[in-house]
Amino acid sequence: MRALDSTSTVGLLETGVSEFGGRAYGLEPLILPTDPVHGSGDDQLMRKYADLLGPDPSPTAPAGPGAADSAEELFWFRWITGHQLTFLLWQELGRRAAGAVAPAQSDEVAAAVRLVRGYSAMLLYTASCTRDVYHRVIRPSMALHHPAFSGSWARDYGSVRALLRGRPPAAWADRADALVEECALNEVVHEGIALKLVPDAPSLLQAAAGPGRPLPRDIRAVLYDTYFLTLRAPCSPAEIAVQLLRRVRAVCDDLAANRLYPASVSSRSEKPEALRAERVEEIEHTVPGLLAGIALDSVRRSTPDSLAATRPMEGHGSHGA
């Protein structure tokens, strides 16, 4: 596989900006194709991100940031970067589901289960803000972007909607029990977050209901993308992989510095009963290892045998909460 093109946006960031966003809690644009592409292995990425893709820390891995200067800075970083990582997970899950063949391979279904759990983890990560920050900073920013702003506008969700609603590909039917169960847990997380952040308020889409001409679907998708700094363009598998790896490392560095619920601005007490369930809190405590396992899955299809044999690190690391 060719190396990253240094003239591309992704190549410029990868070769010239070791710290995600160029500063602590900075943001980066995400470049995604309209449709997912196949394969994502690249030996240069594996060497650079050895700390994520293997059990031994890489001596060249950049040091993570210190604690964030403000709650607004931290939770804005999480809101944008966590959603970008979600889009990458959706594309990877949609690609795997579209390529599903019978008989189902246990490792392929297991990778899909990890991706669904990774999506649940990103829901918890992006919604780790306090209710005050959400209603004072995040919700108004979406309303200013468009008064009816809605997650239903997300371009990449369509390819995984059926799966996440408990209808996996027919080719996986013989091994689908764990995947269906994981999708049910994802729904619990999704509903719990709504209860946490907007327990007494309608969604922006519901609040904006009334006269007016709805925008075409493709325009809504562009508005949604631009809010989350996401562009659509031809993008090589290596470019997709490196964007995933950069965000996984940035999220893990953030959790190492601040934990999922920072002591100074914790929203732990605002969690509804659904988010206090043991299965949900297990996700909170294993986010770094889970993301490392997903990173390994994303590149293992065309990796050296030594890396392909490395066991995913799901469950390692306990600084998520």
Side-chain angles (χ1 to χ4, degrees), residues 256-271:
N258 300 289
R259 307 183 73 85
L260 185 62
Y261 299 110
S264 60
V265 283
S266 176
S267 65
R268 191 187 296 274
S269 64
E270 297 175 343
K271 291 167 57 176

Side-chain angles (χ1 to χ4, degrees), residues 134-195:
Y134 180 78
H135 284 274
R136 183 166 49 82
V137 178
I138 295 174
R139 185 176 168 100
S141 74
M142 293 187 290
L144 286 171
H145 203 66
H146 193 283
F149 194 83
S150 170
S152 64
W153 297 359
R155 188 189 303 267
D156 301 300
Y157 182 72
S159 64
V160 296
R161 180 184 290 110
L163 189 155
L164 291 171
R165 292 180 177 177
R167 301 192 300 274
W172 290 349
D174 293 342
R175 297 181 179 271
D177 289 353
L179 182 57
V180 171
E181 183 177 344
E182 198 64 45
C183 291
L185 178 57
N186 176 265
E187 183 63 22
V188 170
V189 172
H190 204 282
E191 292 177 355
I193 284 170
L195 289 172

Side-chain angles (χ1 to χ4, degrees), residues 29 33 49 63 65 101 156 171 176 189 220 239 249 287 301 303 314 316:
Y49 292 90
V101 295
D156 301 300
V189 172
R220 286 178 286 169
E239 289 174 311
R249 177 180 283 166
V287 175
R301 294 190 177 203
T303 60
E314 182 176 357
H316 291 190

Side-chain angles (χ1 to χ4, degrees), residues 17-26 28 48-52 57-58 60-68 74 77-78 81 85 122 125 244-262 286-289 291-292 316-321:
V17 186
S18 60
E19 186 176 28
F20 186 85
R23 60 183 176 85
Y25 307 102
E28 290 187 0
K48 184 166 185 178
Y49 292 90
D51 56 314
L52 296 176
S58 168
T60 60
L74 174 64
F77 166 82
R78 291 185 178 186
T81 305
L85 190 44
M122 286 301 96
Y125 179 74
L244 172 69
L245 294 171
R246 286 177 73 88
R247 283 159 179 79
V248 166
R249 177 180 283 166
V251 168
C252 290
D253 285 348
D254 164 26
L255 292 174
N258 300 289
R259 307 183 73 85
L260 185 62
Y261 299 110
T286 58
V287 175
L291 292 180
H316 291 190
S318 59
H319 53 244

Side-chain angles (χ1 to χ4, degrees), residues 216-241:
R217 177 178 299 178
D218 286 348
I219 300 300
R220 286 178 286 169
V222 171
L223 280 173
Y224 194 83
D225 277 350
T226 54
Y227 175 84
F228 290 109
L229 305 182
T230 300
L231 307 174
R232 303 288 167 164
C235 195
S236 74
E239 289 174 311
I240 294 172

